[in-house]
Amino acid sequence: MKKWLTLFDACSGVSTDSRNIAKNCLYIALKGNNFNGNLFAQQAIAAGAKYAIVDEAEYADETHIFYVENSLVFLQQLANAHRNRFDVPVLGITGSNGKTSTKELINCALSCQFKVLCTEGNLNNHIGVPLTLLRLNSTHEIAIIEMGANKPFDIDELCRIARPTHGIITNIGKAHLEGFLSFEGVLKTKSELYDHVAANSGVVFVNSDDAVLTNALASRKVKVHSFGEQNGEIRGELTFLNPFVHFRWSQENYSSPLLATQMIGKYNFTNFLAAISIGLHFGVAPDTLNSALCAYVPANKRSQVEQGISNTLIVDCYNANPSSMASALDSFIEMKHENKLVLLGDMLELGADGPAEHHKIIEFLKQHQLAFHTVGPLFKAQHQNGFETTSDLVAYLNENPPKNSLILLKGSRGIALEQTLDVLRAN
């Protein structure tokens, strides 16, 4: 691997996309079901890449384009070898819901005091994690690595690459059940993060109000810092939602003032406490944390609030599963407004559990007498007045525009509920 690290050091960075080549980068040719990056190695060199890695020998010239047995394995091994050059804390973060929001809040908290390497966007899989680690350099003091999973052993694989010294699981829910098959499968895979942090003599941060997570830690020998509303070293009190989270927190002899944040959702209250717990562990001052977290504004269609001409929109249409949708609806119920409307899109990748989980959501909406529209065949099978596609819903809203309403948009990315935003903003 020493040879390859030397090659990597001579480059400006790494790209796996021949359409996005930075000058003097290292191009690594990956393959998938519908593409073969080896075909574009010479094109990448012509576009400015200094070197390229391929795993089909016919494309190698061993001058600028080098052959390896498996380009994906090479990418992962290179990332691990590069990570091992640095003696910095590496915080792994996973969970069924809230990974990205919590990651961004932790980054906000730690960036007050440290130079932080943080996962960008949703680069949290077997390709994204190595690419993130390969951005690590001598200026970084802490790394935050988001880890996604949709089948057994995914977290174990990512932890072997990243070697986390610290870890947090946001929660365990019913997500990606097509791959995991059961809730227990989700729990087992996500908990692999705890095992790796323990093996690295590290520190775990846990919501001590979450019995699933605390039970998972009970049999593992690892140092733990806790936070929560009812229990924990860091205690929080959610005061109200308007729709933004307002809360206080305390630790030993310190009590914070009332903090007015720019994030909505009761579920984000816990994410704030996680960021505070981690920030304090690394020595960030309470007042500094308070100021930074109150100034944070979310992006990327996650818990955003937008104001239309008369409607207030809560836009959370990047991802959806039963636990995240239940949390969003619970929080929405607590928000004070005379006219509320819920727009829900199908929860994808639930496998055989899909019909039952969509039925539960419909029953919840009816029980709480919430006005709602649904999009997608899974919801439509449980609710005959649902819309088959988002385009159908947009056509309906154009004819029947809501006004003076608080509107929640929640659905899986594939449903594209953001297509309704133009008509909702215009009213």
Side-chain angles (χ1 to χ4, degrees):
M1 185 51 67
K2 184 176 180 180
K3 164 191 171 182
W4 300 120
L5 285 171
T6 301
L7 192 79
F8 165 73
D9 288 341
C11 297
S12 61
V14 172
S15 174
T16 59
D17 186 346
S18 62
R19 299 164 299 180
N20 184 22
I21 297 296
K23 185 174 176 58
N24 292 324
C25 75
L26 172 64
Y27 171 69
I28 301 178
L30 302 180
K31 291 186 288 192
N33 293 332
N34 301 308
F35 67 92
N36 183 352
N38 292 285
L39 300 175
F40 305 103
Q42 188 59 57
Q43 178 182 318
I45 296 295
K50 189 164 188 174
Y51 299 112
I53 301 295
V54 296
D55 56 11
E56 293 180 7
E58 63 190 279
Y59 297 100
D61 60 19
E62 298 304 321
T63 301
H64 293 96
I65 305 175
F66 298 91
Y67 170 78
V68 298
E69 186 174 340
N70 185 304
S71 292
L72 175 59
V73 171
F74 171 84
L75 170 67
Q76 295 171 339
Q77 291 178 343
L78 180 68
N80 174 253
H82 180 64
R83 178 265 178 270
N84 288 335
R85 292 165 142 183
F86 299 90
D87 185 20
V88 297
V90 174
L91 173 72
I93 176 169
T94 191
S96 298
N97 309 310
K99 290 187 297 297
T100 300
S101 295
T102 305
K103 173 201 70 181
E104 294 298 334
L105 288 173
I106 295 168
N107 185 30
C108 174
L110 294 178
S111 293
C112 298
Q113 189 165 313
F114 301 99
K115 174 70 172 176
V116 180
L117 171 70
C118 186
T119 299
E120 295 179 346
N122 63 341
L123 292 174
N124 62 11
N125 64 5
H126 61 299
I127 297 171
V129 167
L131 289 175
T132 299
L133 290 167
L134 288 169
R135 293 194 293 113
L136 190 62
N137 63 52
S138 59
T139 70
H140 292 120
E141 298 169 289
I142 295 177
I144 303 171
I145 306 298
E146 181 180 337
M147 300 178 178
N150 53 32
K151 64 182 187 304
F153 305 111
D154 275 355
I155 298 301
D156 177 67
E157 176 185 34
L158 298 180
C159 285
R160 290 180 185 277
I161 298 168
R163 199 165 60 82
T165 59
H166 297 70
I168 180 169
I169 301 175
T170 56
N171 49 54
I172 305 293
K174 294 181 177 179
H176 302 293
L177 292 180
E178 282 183 337
F180 289 117
L181 301 180
S182 68
F183 176 84
E184 290 71 22
V186 181
L187 174 61
K188 184 177 186 298
T189 297
K190 301 292 186 181
S191 297
E192 290 162 0
L193 175 60
Y194 289 161
D195 295 328
H196 280 270
V197 173
N200 292 325
S201 302
V203 178
V204 164
F205 303 88
V206 66
N207 176 4
S208 52
D209 295 333
D210 189 322
V212 172
L213 294 178
T214 54
N215 289 340
L217 276 171
S219 61
R220 292 173 166 90
K221 294 182 179 179
V222 62
K223 186 175 181 179
V224 175
H225 286 309
S226 60
F227 56 89
E229 189 171 14
Q230 304 297 326
N231 305 285
E233 299 160 349
I234 307 300
R235 298 283 186 92
E237 175 193 0
L238 179 62
T239 55
F240 59 93
L241 304 168
N242 75 335
F244 298 105
V245 173
H246 288 63
F247 75 103
R248 295 183 174 89
W249 65 274
S250 61
Q251 178 201 39
E252 295 178 343
N253 298 324
Y254 174 84
S255 295
S256 78
L258 178 63
L259 304 181
T261 78
Q262 299 182 66
M263 292 188 77
I264 62 97
K266 183 166 64 174
Y267 44 89
N268 275 318
F269 164 57
T270 304
N271 298 340
F272 277 110
L273 295 183
I276 289 167
S277 177
I278 292 168
L280 291 172
H281 171 75
F282 286 105
V284 183
D287 291 345
T288 303
L289 288 171
N290 295 341
S291 298
L293 294 175
C294 287
Y296 173 74
V297 179
N300 299 324
K301 301 180 180 66
R302 298 176 188 270
S303 302
Q304 291 177 273
V305 177
E306 298 190 23
Q307 188 61 54
I309 292 176
S310 74
N311 295 318
T312 301
L313 314 177
I314 298 172
V315 185
D316 191 3
C317 46
Y318 187 88
N319 191 17
N321 57 54
S323 50
S324 71
M325 192 164 280
S327 294
L329 290 171
D330 282 339
S331 182
F332 191 65
I333 287 170
E334 293 193 19
M335 297 175 188
K336 305 300 181 185
H337 200 283
E338 291 184 2
N339 301 308
K340 292 183 180 181
L341 175 63
V342 178
L343 305 181
L344 299 182
D346 277 358
M347 302 174 289
L348 305 180
E349 299 182 38
L350 294 182
D353 285 18
E357 295 298 337
H358 285 79
H359 178 75
K360 289 178 185 176
I361 296 296
I362 294 295
E363 292 303 306
F364 181 92
L365 293 165
K366 292 177 178 178
Q367 176 187 346
H368 292 277
Q369 299 181 327
L370 287 168
F372 68 93
H373 297 299
T374 65
V375 178
L378 289 168
F379 268 129
K380 188 171 177 59
Q382 305 299 326
H383 170 61
Q384 62 182 2
N385 294 326
F387 295 93
E388 190 74 25
T389 69
T390 304
S391 296
D392 295 335
L393 174 58
V394 170
Y396 173 84
L397 293 173
N398 277 316
E399 295 294 325
N400 305 274
K403 296 181 183 295
N404 302 308
S405 297
L406 178 64
I407 304 173
L408 170 67
L409 295 85
K410 179 72 176 175
S412 286
R413 179 82 283 279
I415 302 299
L417 278 179
E418 69 274 7
Q419 293 175 10
T420 66
L421 289 175
D422 285 346
V423 64
L424 296 174
R425 291 178 184 131
N427 291 281

